Amino acid sequence: MVITARQEALVVSSWNEMKDDAPTFALNLYLKLFEIIPSAAKRFSFLRDSNVPLEKNAKLKAHAMGVFVMTCEAATQLRKTGRVNMGANTSVQHLGAVHFKAGIGDVHFEILKFALLETIKEGLPYMWSEELKDAWSNSYDHLVAAIKAEM
Amino acid sequence: MVITARQEALVVSSWNEMKDDAPTFALNLYLKLFEIIPSAAKRFSFLRDSNVPLEKNAKLKAHAMGVFVMTCEAATQLRKTGRVNMGANTSVQHLGAVHFKAGIGDVHFEILKFALLETIKEGLPYMWSEELKDAWSNSYDHLVAAIKAEM
């Protein structure tokens, strides 16, 4: 079993808790990412070509939201089918191609994982636990492995 | 002026505060680094070739201590001479060569900076301030710029 029922439940329930305030979580995720590696900003075409401040950049928020939503979906898919395979609109193949083109490497996926976990920890302190951390870690690792396999 | 007298004083006084417990700060720095990018461990020859646990690895501690000591020395040198130029034993040329050989890039220097600031913040909460952060940031940035210029 790649993910336990309890891990899936933890990811889904904490995402439900974050959903209402999803734009804030999305923004915080990228503020954390850029705090760790400021140079990452230039990897996003929609940031390079834009003067809109981060907190008003709709594309950045959509991208960040995707990280939460897809990690959460990965948990459910892993539980159902034992593997990650996103829907047609955000296929793993497409994500592999886009991230390959952008020159994204292992180190970037690792940093985003750290930023994701820190964002959840800071945003949901009353739900945070090592178990919750492991559940998100596990889902994220499987999602990234699926994306990397297409790169 | 690349660094103010006050910034130098902040770096030196906080390092004096950390010095007595330097091995702990050194270890915490690398635990933080490996928390963010677990894959970084394999970049250190003395970790690749060793079964010694991190907290007992003298070479890791010495390396981490170097980050603190040299960033602190950079502050003093910047104040005195306006530039960073380490002593003969740890010359910037040597550091440039070693880091180039190890395949270290911008992203690694950025992550280490984040880990350094977080380690100081967590270890010296009673001294931590935006001003202290900026002082260490400034010294670190100049040290890294000097190393990169030799890479």
Side-chain angles (χ1 to χ4, degrees):
Chain A
M1 192 60 70
V2 291
I3 191 168
T4 65
R6 178 153 170 89
Q7 283 189 315
E8 188 209 352
L10 281 169
V11 171
V12 171
S13 64
S14 54
W15 172 239
N16 279 336
E17 195 75 13
M18 290 182 262
K19 251 186 200 163
D20 285 347
D21 208 12
T24 304
F25 278 92
L27 177 64
N28 287 348
L29 173 62
Y30 277 82
L31 290 178
K32 181 63 76 181
L33 183 71
F34 297 145
E35 186 188 348
I36 305 170
I37 39 168
S39 68
K42 67 174 186 283
R43 290 192 176 270
F44 294 93
S45 57
F46 51 83
L47 292 181
R48 273 199 308 270
D49 312 336
S50 163
N51 291 321
V52 179
L54 279 188
E55 66 275 14
K56 294 196 175 153
N57 193 306
K59 283 187 182 170
L60 182 76
K61 279 191 192 167
H63 188 281
M65 194 95 96
V67 177
F68 284 102
V69 170
M70 283 184 284
T71 306
C72 186
E73 276 179 12
T76 302
Q77 288 189 14
L78 284 169
R79 184 71 196 151
K80 260 192 206 150
T81 69
R83 61 192 212 94
V84 175
N85 186 16
M86 295 295 153
N89 287 330
T90 53
S91 75
V92 170
Q93 284 86 343
H94 174 70
L95 288 175
V98 167
H99 286 88
F100 179 78
K101 210 180 142 197
I104 300 304
D106 289 358
V107 68
H108 302 106
F109 285 116
E110 286 180 289
I111 299 165
L112 186 63
K113 179 183 176 181
F114 176 81
L116 176 67
L117 297 173
E118 284 289 299
T119 302
I120 299 170
K121 181 183 176 180
E122 288 173 12
L124 293 181
Y126 52 96
M127 285 190 86
W128 186 252
S129 67
E130 279 304 302
E131 215 188 347
L132 185 71
K133 182 183 175 182
D134 291 344
W136 278 89
S137 281
N138 190 16
S139 304
Y140 181 88
D141 288 344
H142 278 94
L143 173 64
V144 167
I147 294 171
K148 276 192 201 166
E150 300 291 339
M151 279 171 79
Chain B
M1 191 61 68
V2 289
I3 191 168
T4 66
R6 178 155 170 88
Q7 283 189 315
E8 187 209 355
L10 281 169
V11 171
V12 171
S13 64
S14 54
W15 172 238
N16 279 336
E17 196 76 10
M18 289 182 262
K19 251 187 200 161
D20 286 344
D21 207 12
T24 304
F25 278 93
L27 178 63
N28 287 347
L29 174 61
Y30 277 83
L31 290 178
K32 181 63 76 183
L33 184 70
F34 298 145
E35 186 189 347
I36 305 170
I37 39 167
S39 68
K42 66 173 187 280
R43 291 194 176 268
F44 295 93
S45 56
F46 51 84
L47 292 180
R48 272 199 308 270
D49 313 334
S50 164
N51 291 321
V52 179
L54 280 187
E55 64 276 14
K56 292 194 175 155
N57 193 307
K59 284 187 182 170
L60 181 76
K61 279 190 192 168
H63 189 279
M65 193 95 95
V67 176
F68 283 101
V69 170
M70 282 184 286
T71 306
C72 186
E73 276 179 13
T76 303
Q77 288 188 15
L78 283 169
R79 183 74 196 150
K80 258 190 206 152
T81 69
R83 63 194 210 93
V84 175
N85 186 15
M86 296 293 150
N89 287 330
T90 52
S91 76
V92 170
Q93 283 86 344
H94 174 70
L95 288 174
V98 167
H99 286 88
F100 179 75
K101 212 181 140 197
I104 301 304
D106 289 358
V107 68
H108 302 105
F109 285 117
E110 285 181 289
I111 300 165
L112 186 63
K113 180 181 176 183
F114 177 82
L116 176 67
L117 297 173
E118 284 289 298
T119 302
I120 300 170
K121 181 183 176 181
E122 288 173 12
L124 293 180
Y126 52 94
M127 285 189 86
W128 186 253
S129 67
E130 279 303 302
E131 214 187 351
L132 185 70
K133 181 183 175 181
D134 290 344
W136 278 89
S137 281
N138 190 15
S139 304
Y140 181 89
D141 288 345
H142 279 94
L143 173 62
V144 167
I147 294 171
K148 276 193 200 165
E150 299 291 338
M151 281 170 78

